[in-house]
Amino acid sequence: MSGAPEHLVFVTGKLARARLEKVASALPPERFAWSIADSGVKVAALMTEEIIKRRVTLPDGATRIVLPGRCRANPEALAAHFGLPVERGPDEIVDLPAHLGLAGRKVDLSRHDLRIFSEIVDASKMNADQVVAKGLDLARRGADVIDLGGLPDTDFPHLEACVRGLKAQGLKVSVDSFSIDELRRGAAAGADFLLSLNEETLDLAFETDAVPILVPTRPDDLPSLDRAIARMVAAGRPFIADPILEPIHFGFVDSIERYRATRARWPDIAMMMGTGNLTELTEADSLGITALLVGMCSELSVGNVLIVQVSNHTRRTVEEHDAARRVMYAAKADAALPKGYGRALLALHDKRPFVQTPDEIAALAAQVRDPNYRIAVAEDGIHVYNRDVHKVGTDAMAFFTDLDVASDGAHAFYLGGELTKAETAWRLGKRYVQDEPLDWACAADADVEDTTAFKKAGHTKHSGPDALPGARDAQVPVEAGASAPRTIAPEEAAAEASVSATPEAPAQKLVCGKLVPAGEA
């Protein structure tokens, strides 16, 4: 029946089942029927394709299978086996409703309508090969046009070579200079855009096919920009108008008003905003400033931004503008606030940082039957627990005396790193996942991960005082009385996971030598 709810099958492990049932029971029944397929392993991250194929039986009427986000099975292979769509769900169970589109929208950040001009401010001081390499790096980060900045009283004899070199790589190029001669040379070499012409220098726009960016003769002289726009409109020539964004305390608010006035008078023209006067000249984290300015561009249909990176605190400005333009485009298309469109603009804090309550962590800790330490973060602080101990605190270093790793340098090193990361997450209000890097959104590059393969082995398990000497890596000095940490290869992890666990059996908590959180889906 066409109006019947979709029947979802959630594949999970024993430890996550109760939490999954709690979240699934809140799904709207008119949209979703659901079943839970318990794979028989305690930790869902240890499931393999073979385990799922062998142990999971689908109920009648099932329409879609949802795997835990950290399950390493291949969804395509499982879809071929079961004959149903199989998808990887979110890493955290609490995010399942949003994953299923219950926030009112399916998030699609693949589109945007904002062109990024990224300026190489010192191009005249670099050789042509360096400029091309820099341009390719900016394009990789998200820039659409490479802007060659000319400096006052600085010769740029290799301007043509830079333009041609970038064009040979398939890149769009603009030339930004106060020198009419440099602009003319850049256009002759094949530049696509010229920055910036005003009504006094506008004749150059009629000598070349390069698209001019028009500016007022002075930032506060908006009528001069109107006259330049009117001349280009009358001639039927393409152009982009930039009313000039000024720094805070030097005309910022008035310049915003000029953008609004220009759009009101010229509703159909292409416009540009140079964001560097805010991002570079305000010593504040640039991501929030960028999000606000790109939001203004979205409201005013400003389709071009000129960005610059000189200060160290703006080193990710290309990525920040790229992320912001995608979020703003999606929100505008939905006629919605820019909320609920992913975490790309949340570098320091997460909207939902704590995915487990202290009580939920305590319940999981009570089920642990092995000595491996699990680390989790909740509102009350950092939780560290195994079968013998459950400690809660807010100072990573204060846990050391309770963890019995004084004779195991490798494990102590591992726990110190993880606990410090957990403390950072707790203090900032970020999500913490054991053995995973903190997510800094577009403020840092994320590791590219093969989600169908187990992680490489690492020294994370304390193997006790009786381990054979000399078992450590040669690079790690052996401490007196210390033992070698045990690592688990992917094949061994899969074999351990295939043994159906009972409440009395030791929980299998290592994935290729890496500790897995007890509450992981």
Side-chain angles (χ1 to χ4, degrees), residues 477-492:
V478 178
E479 300 172 355
S483 57
R486 177 174 174 248
T487 62
I488 295 181
E491 297 80 10
E492 186 180 356

Side-chain angles (χ1 to χ4, degrees), residues 26-37:
L27 298 176
E30 68 276 8
R31 289 189 56 182
F32 300 109
W34 54 271
S35 302
I36 292 180

Side-chain angles (χ1 to χ4, degrees), residues 233-396:
V233 169
R237 305 272 297 199
F239 66 94
I240 300 171
D242 184 356
I244 304 297
L245 187 72
E246 295 190 274
I248 293 172
H249 297 151
F250 290 88
F252 169 61
V253 174
D254 288 341
S255 66
I256 292 296
E257 292 180 350
R258 289 195 292 271
Y259 274 90
R260 179 70 184 91
T262 300
R263 175 52 76 208
R265 283 198 291 273
W266 305 95
D268 300 320
I269 66 170
M271 292 179 65
M272 170 180 280
M273 179 183 287
T275 60
N277 277 346
L278 262 290
T279 57
E280 288 284 327
L281 302 181
T282 308
E283 287 194 357
D285 291 331
S286 58
L287 179 53
I289 295 173
T290 297
L292 178 63
L293 294 178
V294 173
M296 291 180 181
C297 289
S298 181
E299 280 206 3
L300 295 173
S301 297
V302 173
N304 304 272
V305 288
L306 174 65
I307 70 174
V308 60
Q309 191 273 301
V310 177
S311 303
N312 283 330
H313 79 283
T314 64
R315 68 186 68 192
R316 298 284 294 184
T317 190
V318 181
E319 292 87 347
E320 290 170 2
H321 281 80
D322 181 49
R325 65 180 172 176
R326 296 173 188 277
V327 169
M328 297 304 169
Y329 180 92
K332 186 176 183 179
D334 290 339
L337 296 169
K339 291 171 62 69
Y341 288 90
R343 300 159 66 188
L345 303 181
L346 293 172
L348 286 182
H349 316 291
D350 275 318
K351 185 176 179 180
R352 300 184 67 182
F354 308 121
V355 299
Q356 293 174 286
T357 66
D359 288 343
E360 288 174 334
I361 296 173
L364 290 170
Q367 301 180 53
V368 173
R369 299 293 183 268
D370 62 71
N372 299 311
Y373 288 108
R374 286 80 167 168
I375 303 172
V377 175
E379 287 189 75
D380 61 340
I382 308 160
H383 291 245
V384 184
Y385 59 94
N386 65 4
R387 69 185 178 191
D388 302 314
V389 65
H390 181 180
K391 294 290 182 177
V392 184
T394 58
D395 180 353

Side-chain angles (χ1 to χ4, degrees), residues 390-418:
H390 181 180
K391 294 290 182 177
V392 184
T394 58
D395 180 353
M397 296 299 104
F399 287 97
F400 181 75
T401 56
D402 296 312
L403 300 185
D404 190 27
V405 290
S407 64
D408 188 347
H411 202 193
F413 183 87
Y414 162 78
L415 288 173
E418 281 297 314

Side-chain angles (χ1 to χ4, degrees), residues 60-281:
D60 294 337
T63 58
R64 185 169 27 144
I65 302 170
V66 182
L67 303 177
R70 297 191 185 98
C71 172
R72 317 309 289 185
N74 187 329
E76 293 182 1
L78 291 174
H81 174 78
F82 289 110
L84 287 177
V86 178
E87 65 189 61
R88 196 181 306 281
D91 286 352
E92 303 295 345
I93 292 173
V94 294
D95 294 326
L96 187 58
H99 173 80
L100 296 174
L102 295 178
R105 63 182 73 92
K106 281 286 189 180
V107 175
D108 177 9
L109 300 181
S110 65
R111 298 178 296 167
H112 64 81
D113 58 358
L114 186 67
R115 181 165 46 194
I116 296 175
F117 288 65
S118 186
E119 183 177 1
I120 304 177
V121 295
D122 52 353
S124 59
K125 296 182 178 181
M126 304 165 65
N127 63 44
D129 289 341
Q130 291 171 328
V131 168
V132 171
K134 179 67 173 178
L136 289 171
D137 180 62
L138 292 171
R140 176 187 64 81
R141 295 171 180 267
D144 302 296
V145 181
I146 307 304
D147 183 60
L148 300 178
L151 298 174
D153 304 319
T154 302
D155 291 335
F156 200 163
H158 54 299
L159 171 61
E160 290 87 348
C162 291
V163 173
R164 295 188 184 111
L166 291 167
K167 295 290 291 182
Q169 295 295 326
L171 301 175
K172 295 285 187 181
V173 181
S174 61
V175 175
D176 189 352
S177 177
F178 291 110
S179 167
I180 291 296
D181 177 62
E182 285 185 348
L183 292 176
R184 184 176 285 112
R185 288 168 51 206
D192 302 281
F193 303 90
L194 299 179
L195 284 79
S196 303
L197 300 181
N198 57 41
E199 65 173 345
E200 297 175 357
T201 59
L202 192 55
D203 287 346
L204 180 59
F206 297 88
E207 300 176 14
T208 174
D209 292 330
V211 176
I213 283 73
L214 309 183
V215 297
T217 54
R218 299 186 317 274
D220 62 350
D221 186 4
L222 197 57
S224 69
L225 178 60
D226 285 330
R227 291 190 291 269
I229 291 172
R231 184 178 174 190
M232 295 299 291
V233 169
R237 305 272 297 199
F239 66 94
I240 300 171
D242 184 356
I244 304 297
L245 187 72
E246 295 190 274
I248 293 172
H249 297 151
F250 290 88
F252 169 61
V253 174
D254 288 341
S255 66
I256 292 296
E257 292 180 350
R258 289 195 292 271
Y259 274 90
R260 179 70 184 91
T262 300
R263 175 52 76 208
R265 283 198 291 273
W266 305 95
D268 300 320
I269 66 170
M271 292 179 65
M272 170 180 280
M273 179 183 287
T275 60
N277 277 346
L278 262 290
T279 57
E280 288 284 327
L281 302 181

